[in-house]
Amino acid sequence: MLRQLSLAIALAVTAAAAVPALAQDASASAAAADQAPQAIVTTISDDLAKAIEGHQAELKSDKEKLIAVIDDVFLPHFDIDYASILVLGQNAAKATPEQRERFAKAFYNSITHRYAEGLLNYTRGRVKVLPFSGDLNNKRTVVRTQVMLDDGKSVSVDYAFRKSKSGDWKAYDVIIEGISYITNYRNQVDAEIKKEGLDKLTADLETKGSAAIDEMKQQTGGGQQ
């Protein structure tokens, strides 16, 4: 990932890393099913602005409430199961369903806590959804956006969508300046699994949280973000 771009990273990574809830609002799921990928990204941007603006101080002092905002805004629109399989890569086929589920919860919870505070800088108009061109592809359709930084510069943050079995569009990857979230973390996770094993990595994520993400980055040359 790119350094010194906490807002762009937070928008991308927390979007892909929202922890699966035990249940979702049926009306929210139905609304998502009727939206095309570009409309979904616009909805996320608008809903995030409504949830963050005017509440920064409150959310900064209450991390769990900030995490809840992330879940409410992003979760209905992301294919967490598919994304977790892609992050595990070839290790997914070797893991049991229980191991995959446990890893997904621990990893995405850690990622969300790692980047959540970057969203406190979000305000309306930060994200510009670019016009969509071409045909919708059920396996991979990319929505391109530009995220405005504090210095006036913009960063490309793109969302890869696929159509789920239920027929609604779900994002599963985000790409910052051409760097895929899935690929970035798959390489780091694979290195850690080869070194310590999947169960040890999962246990570290469960006990250390976001600190385990930082350690993994340093040990595999991912650096700090």
Side-chain angles (χ1 to χ4, degrees), residues 1-49:
M1 294 287 185
L2 301 179
R3 300 182 183 185
Q4 310 302 323
L5 300 176
S6 61
L7 174 63
I9 293 172
L11 281 169
V13 175
T14 53
V19 181
L22 294 178
Q24 293 185 20
D25 187 328
S27 61
S29 298
D34 293 334
Q35 289 184 300
Q38 187 180 28
I40 291 174
V41 175
T42 300
T43 295
I44 290 173
S45 301
D46 292 344
D47 289 349
L48 184 61

Side-chain angles (χ1 to χ4, degrees), residues 9 17 22 33 57 62 64 72 74 86-87 105 112 114 119 140 152 175 179-180 201 223:
I9 293 172
L22 294 178
D62 190 340
E64 292 310 310
D72 289 343
F74 292 116
L86 293 180
V87 170
K105 291 181 179 179
T112 303
R114 172 67 174 82
L119 288 177
R140 180 180 172 86
I175 305 99
I179 301 176
S180 163
L201 171 59

Side-chain angles (χ1 to χ4, degrees), residues 79 138 162-170:
D79 192 333
N138 289 350
R162 70 194 288 264
K163 183 167 282 192
S164 68
K165 292 181 180 179
S166 60
D168 52 344
W169 288 97
K170 299 280 187 178

Side-chain angles (χ1 to χ4, degrees), residues 9-178:
I9 293 172
L11 281 169
V13 175
T14 53
V19 181
L22 294 178
Q24 293 185 20
D25 187 328
S27 61
S29 298
D34 293 334
Q35 289 184 300
Q38 187 180 28
I40 291 174
V41 175
T42 300
T43 295
I44 290 173
S45 301
D46 292 344
D47 289 349
L48 184 61
K50 294 175 183 176
I52 296 292
E53 290 177 353
H55 302 285
Q56 284 90 343
E58 175 187 3
L59 294 174
K60 186 174 183 179
S61 63
D62 190 340
K63 186 70 169 287
E64 292 310 310
K65 183 173 286 188
L66 177 58
I67 298 299
V69 167
I70 293 170
D71 284 351
D72 289 343
V73 173
F74 292 116
L75 183 58
H77 307 293
F78 278 82
D79 192 333
I80 303 299
D81 292 336
Y82 185 62
S84 67
I85 290 174
L86 293 180
V87 170
L88 282 172
Q90 62 183 0
N91 296 292
K94 304 174 184 177
T96 66
E98 292 76 16
Q99 285 178 311
R100 291 197 295 268
E101 181 179 2
R102 183 184 169 199
F103 167 78
K105 291 181 179 179
F107 181 69
Y108 290 119
N109 184 59
S110 299
I111 289 286
T112 303
H113 280 76
R114 172 67 174 82
Y115 291 102
E117 288 193 10
L119 288 177
L120 294 175
N121 296 320
Y122 183 79
T123 56
R124 197 178 305 275
R126 283 276 194 174
V127 176
K128 179 181 180 181
V129 181
L130 302 181
F132 180 78
S133 60
D135 298 324
L136 294 176
N137 185 311
N138 289 350
K139 294 183 178 180
R140 180 180 172 86
T141 290
V142 176
V143 177
R144 306 189 185 282
T145 78
Q146 292 287 324
V147 176
M148 298 302 298
L149 305 180
D150 291 336
D151 60 6
K153 296 180 180 179
S154 63
V155 176
S156 296
V157 178
D158 303 333
Y159 295 79
F161 282 79
R162 70 194 288 264
K163 183 167 282 192
S164 68
K165 292 181 180 179
S166 60
D168 52 344
W169 288 97
K170 299 280 187 178
Y172 65 89
D173 193 12
V174 286
I175 305 99
I176 303 177
E177 292 290 313

